[in-house]
Amino acid sequence: MGVQKWIKKYTKIITRYLDSLTPMLGYIWHTDEMKVKANGEWVWLWNVMDEDTRFMLSSLISKKRNIRDARKVFQKAKEVAGRDNPQAMVTDGLPAYIKAFNKEFFTLRNPRVKHVRMPRFIDPVNNNVVERAQGTIREREKVMRSMKEDLPAQEIIDGFRAYYNFIRPHQALEGKTPAEEAGINLELGENRWMDLIRKATNRPVSNRRFTALNNP
């Protein structure tokens, strides 16, 4: 079985398992979206990232950039977070974010989530966070272009989110992964992909198939 078939087989299993783990997050989340080409088609890639841990809460593919799509990425982030809402959500100036934010986060009760709209990201701190997220998105775009059309773009993105949160050490986190920074330590070995699949399936997995996947 080729690498792509293994990815297709195990991505949903791994994603379901990892999304059941609750990260300990900060109180500011960042959301952005950009146009990328996947399987020969231009689509929108959305993501929500926690500022403190760099944990990627949600990454979704959509053909449009409307309120419904913005709500879906917010809903997924809240599902993965598994706790109270953040204190602030930072977005760009896309109009769809306003109604989507009000639907998903607005409440008359305190504490309320603050919606920070930053069309140009003037604040240097916020700009650094967004630049890192954009770099991650560019990596994902390269991955999608390298894959054949028999893999749905969302499955590729889900696999990359697992890699970003649980496999890849981050220099900004002193060599830790976002998952470790968020208090999730799965004690993965040298071949982290294989160990993730073992934990997600509770069964042995051949080491040979996943050696290359640890260094995409």
Side-chain angles (χ1 to χ4, degrees), residues 27-32 47 49-52 54 87-92 114-135:
Y27 294 97
I28 301 176
W29 297 356
H30 292 256
T31 302
D32 67 357
N47 71 78
M49 174 188 285
D50 175 59
E51 180 176 306
D52 286 351
R54 302 299 192 268
Q87 291 182 359
M89 172 67 79
V90 181
T91 71
D92 60 26
K114 182 179 181 181
H115 185 192
V116 181
R117 299 179 67 215
M118 303 185 66
R120 295 189 178 182
F121 293 98
I122 298 174
D123 189 324
V125 175
N126 287 323
N127 191 45
N128 288 338
V129 172
V130 172
E131 285 179 357
R132 292 190 185 99
Q134 294 285 16

Side-chain angles (χ1 to χ4, degrees), residues 89-108:
M89 172 67 79
V90 181
T91 71
D92 60 26
L94 181 70
Y97 282 130
I98 300 175
K99 289 187 177 180
F101 174 86
N102 288 338
K103 289 286 187 180
E104 298 301 327
F105 293 102
F106 180 77
T107 177
L108 295 176

Side-chain angles (χ1 to χ4, degrees), residues 54-85:
R54 302 299 192 268
F55 195 91
M56 195 71 71
L57 290 160
S58 177
S59 295
L60 294 176
I61 292 287
S62 69
K63 292 186 177 181
K64 297 182 179 180
R65 192 172 55 152
N66 54 30
I67 298 170
R68 179 175 176 271
D69 298 316
R71 288 190 66 183
K72 285 177 65 176
V73 76
F74 286 159
Q75 290 166 358
K76 180 64 177 180
K78 292 194 297 182
E79 175 189 334
V80 172
R83 64 153 178 79
D84 294 336
N85 291 330

Side-chain angles (χ1 to χ4, degrees), residues 191-210:
N191 195 321
R192 295 191 172 195
W193 276 118
M194 182 182 66
D195 287 348
L196 278 181
I197 293 174
R198 283 175 174 166
K199 289 179 179 294
T201 60
N202 290 315
R203 65 181 183 182
V205 180
S206 172
N207 181 67
R208 182 178 59 184
R209 296 291 185 182
F210 296 93

